Amino acid sequence: MTKSKFTDSQVMEALKRVEAGLAVPEICRELGISSATFYKWRVKYCGMDTSMISRMKELELENALAKSLAWCGALSA
């Protein structure tokens, strides 16, 4: 899993600013991201708060670890 250049709170702040009425291209320009990245964030994090995003990332990391351990176990068997 790659490390994001943006923190969870920065992502949430960007999403909230657009909900408040700021234009998506303007936010993207400020953050230096593409509109596709912004819309991926919106699909992935819509309706979450910062603590929920952190928990989701922890679970994704645990899943990746479990998959790699299972894969290593399959190789040795």
Side-chain angles (χ1 to χ4, degrees):
M1 201 179 231
T2 60
K3 177 119 170 84
S4 177
K5 161 177 158 176
F6 298 97
T7 63
D8 299 337
S9 58
Q10 288 174 318
V11 172
M12 290 306 300
E13 194 232 331
L15 294 173
K16 287 180 183 176
R17 287 175 64 192
V18 168
E19 286 177 4
L22 206 58
V24 171
E26 188 175 327
I27 294 280
C28 292
R29 214 176 6 261
E30 286 178 19
L31 296 175
I33 60 172
S34 69
S35 58
T37 299
F38 176 82
Y39 288 114
K40 282 182 187 177
W41 286 351
R42 192 156 103 181
V43 166
K44 190 171 183 178
Y45 302 123
C46 184
M48 293 187 185
D49 60 3
T50 307
S51 63
M52 291 174 73
I53 292 174
S54 297
R55 180 65 181 143
M56 183 182 69
K57 286 186 179 182
E58 288 173 8
L59 291 173
E60 287 174 348
L61 186 61
E62 287 177 22
N63 260 354
L65 180 61
K67 284 181 183 179
S68 68
L69 290 175
W71 187 72
C72 289
L75 286 178
S76 63

